Amino acid sequence: MHGGKDFLFCIWVKVWVEWLIKFFDLKPSKDPIALGFVGRKRSVDFRDTTLGEFKKVIPADHYRLHNDEHEIIFHETAKVFCGGLDDPKRVEKFNSANLAFLAVNQAEETERHEVSVLRAALRLKINGKQPPYKELYTANPADCWLKTDFIDNKLVNHRFIPALYTDNPHLPSNYKERLETVFKYNDALLRAYRD
């Protein structure tokens, strides 16, 4: 069974890359064009968890890993950079990148400035065609920049999609009680996870 956030993350990346391939009318190539970035704060966490989940969720004939798992190549047609935001030299390279999207898993672990370079790289145009640039952040409840942007300030063109434990039919019937027991010491955390 997959976690809801991770499952959404993997499916969204696949669907969005395939949409962009059609939008740009890309063809298979020996050197596929880079469309986006997927990752987490720490590359080791991306490799050990998110990439492992990606391999379980996405059919193996839809992609291949390249360059020591730092690139995911879809249908030999487009690639996505992947890894962590903890490698300053690698992140600095995104200053000159042109991307159409980014997706950060467990984004509550990040600081706003850590994704800024990636956000500024959302400027890919091919043959004069400009896609709708997208950003996906999956996160657990936390008092961080995501809460400020998506919940408190409800910025234009930002969408918060809540996923409550009641949305998951695979959880035990006593999960609410478990949350209330585990987080009884901190009402804010309890409300974040339960409500």
Side-chain angles (χ1 to χ4, degrees):
M1 184 54 51
H2 311 287
K5 293 187 319 299
D6 292 343
F7 185 80
L8 168 68
F9 184 89
C10 297
I11 295 297
W12 185 89
V13 168
K14 176 192 174 304
V15 167
W16 192 240
V17 167
E18 290 174 348
W19 187 91
L20 288 167
I21 287 171
K22 288 179 185 174
F23 176 80
F24 287 126
D25 193 29
L26 300 178
K27 305 294 181 214
S29 166
K30 289 182 181 178
D31 187 23
I33 190 162
L35 295 178
F37 170 84
V38 298
R40 283 186 66 169
K41 181 174 178 106
R42 296 179 350 129
S43 57
V44 68
D45 294 334
F46 177 80
R47 192 174 47 255
D48 291 348
T49 59
T50 308
L51 187 59
E53 199 65 18
F54 186 88
K55 291 175 184 178
K56 292 177 196 172
V57 172
I58 306 303
D61 61 342
H62 290 221
Y63 72 95
R64 72 179 168 88
L65 298 175
H66 179 64
N67 196 14
D68 293 328
E69 300 186 336
H70 284 104
E71 297 176 353
I72 303 171
I73 299 180
F74 288 86
H75 308 290
E76 298 302 322
T77 305
K79 69 183 171 186
V80 174
F81 298 120
C82 57
L85 300 172
D86 56 346
D87 181 350
K89 288 181 183 177
R90 188 159 168 24
V91 172
E92 190 174 303
K93 290 180 183 179
F94 291 118
N95 277 322
S96 60
N98 295 307
L99 304 175
F101 78 92
L102 66 97
V104 179
N105 194 15
Q106 299 299 131
E108 79 279 3
E109 299 170 345
T110 68
E111 299 292 332
R112 186 188 309 273
H113 71 274
E114 293 173 313
V115 297
S116 294
V117 171
L118 290 169
R119 296 178 84 189
L122 297 178
R123 57 186 174 227
L124 179 67
K125 289 171 82 171
I126 299 175
N127 297 325
K129 290 183 82 173
Q130 179 177 314
Y133 302 113
K134 302 274 184 183
E135 302 172 43
L136 173 70
Y137 302 99
T138 59
N140 285 312
D143 194 5
C144 64
W145 68 275
L146 295 164
K147 180 178 180 287
T148 302
D149 286 2
F150 288 87
I151 297 172
D152 298 340
N153 294 328
K154 297 180 184 175
L155 296 179
V156 175
N157 295 323
H158 287 58
R159 302 290 178 265
F160 169 63
I161 302 169
L164 299 174
Y165 76 92
T166 53
D167 297 327
N168 187 344
H170 304 288
L171 291 174
S173 59
N174 67 340
Y175 194 70
K176 178 181 179 184
E177 291 79 16
R178 181 177 300 160
L179 290 175
E180 290 172 348
T181 299
V182 170
F183 293 114
K184 67 182 174 186
Y185 68 94
N186 186 324
D187 189 56
L189 272 178
L190 172 60
R191 284 184 282 114
Y193 278 89
R194 183 190 59 200
D195 308 324

